[in-house]
Amino acid sequence: MTAADLQHPPTNIAGMHRAALTDALASAFDLDAKKARMRAAQIWRWVYHAGATDFDAMTNIGKEMRAELSKRFTIARPEMVERQISTDGTRKYLLRMAPGIEAECVFIPDVGRAGALCVSSQVGCTLNCPFCHTGSQNLVRNLTAAEIVGQVLAVKDDLEEWPSDAEERRLSNIVFMGMGEPLYNLDNVATAIDVISDGEGVSLSRRRITVSTSGIVPEMRRLGEETSAMLAISLHATSDDLRNELVPINRKYSIAELLDACRNYPGVSNARRITFEYVMLKGVNDTDAEARELVRLLKGIPAKINLIPFNPWPGAPYECSDWDRIEAFADIVNRAGYASPIRTPRGRDILAACGQLKSSSVKKRASAIRREANL
Ligand code: SAH
Ligand code: SF4
């Protein structure tokens, strides 16, 4: 590489928003707005519909233009550091976004319409829910929109799901339930959702994209307005006292405020219900009285209830409720009209289940990251 190349290393367009791609092309080739939009549309289809990783594959673009494009741009994926496959078919990926920045994502077959990809929005988390493995890792940083989209592209490569509208596709749903709190990175999450829901690209419907939050009340309306995504709430307790302990952000936004924001979530209706997640912790939040209180609290909110058997991790200070207890709890919830409320744990053998994700990335000084990047 020459010094000039280092000043202008090729820009990665994989994961870019359509507007950013249009701007990048306009400035690289001095195009007017209309030409730039047309060129972007052409490239967009190759990248997000066909899964191209090389400009040479773009047969409807002239050869000279392709050569120019490859001088200035790349179509790169996050580096796959590790892939583990569970006995139940769940796949866990450790992806390296940049030096020292690693995040996990998990593909779970046979959920949603076909299969769901659980993506991360941050490396680590600023919140410290004591039952969550990610919560024991400090926040390293937010993932960029491109890095969130990069998870989807890398997994589609692995599943060989190109072109994106192939029949029988296995990846049909996206859940933001990996590492991090998506509503503390909402701008990037919203941009990523724009990209993956674009009908001329990856084309995953917004109704099949679910964002899970621990309850960042002031951001919930914007999530609904900007993304039209489905909402999931990590409730986990029916009293403020207990929720203050299990989901410490509750000290800032109480259960009453949270449920109020749910009632006012844009687009909420019986056809677009909010999922309430409730982790089953032995002797902590799993009595019949709490099941009844849960049903009472959710009255009037179009809701689904998801009971999540606690997934253990090394050193976790909780145990999963006994199976009879979970069933007794589920029975009460069921009788109140909520169907099949227990979420079967998936990928536990490879620590890929809810709340088991954690990367070895640690927070470093920016100077150390820059140093590594230049190696
Ligand atoms: N930060 C967001 C999204 C990521 S967590 C949130 O908290 O909602 C995805 C879901 O897994 C949340 O409901 C979370 O509370 C739950 N979870 C975390 N640790 C878990 C564990 N060890 N066992 C089962 N569920 C867990
Ligand atoms: Fe963060 Fe969600 Fe884990 Fe709580 S449950 S620590 S909000 S990732």
Side-chain angles (χ1 to χ4, degrees), residues 21 25 29 31 34-44 60-62 65 69:
L21 177 62
L25 292 167
F29 300 111
L31 303 176
K34 190 170 170 215
K35 284 225 172 72
R37 266 201 309 277
M38 279 169 56
R39 191 57 93 194
Q42 225 173 9
I43 295 175
W44 183 271
N60 58 351
I61 297 178
M65 183 63 181
L69 281 164

Side-chain angles (χ1 to χ4, degrees), residues 2 71 114 143 177 214 245 259 297 317 325 337:
T2 66
K71 270 191 220 153
L143 291 175
M177 294 186 187
S214 57
E245 194 185 305
L259 296 182
L297 280 176
R325 185 85 297 274

Side-chain angles (χ1 to χ4, degrees), residues 125 127 129 131-133 176-182 212-215 232-236 277-279 308-313 343 353-356:
C125 189
L127 305 173
C129 308
F131 56 88
C132 171
H133 205 194
F176 283 80
M177 294 186 187
M179 300 165 66
E181 170 48 59
S212 174
T213 179
S214 57
I233 300 287
S234 297
L235 193 59
H236 306 322
E277 300 164 279
Y278 194 96
V279 64
I308 316 177
F310 170 67
N311 294 306
W313 38 272
R343 184 188 294 175
C354 285
Q356 292 184 315

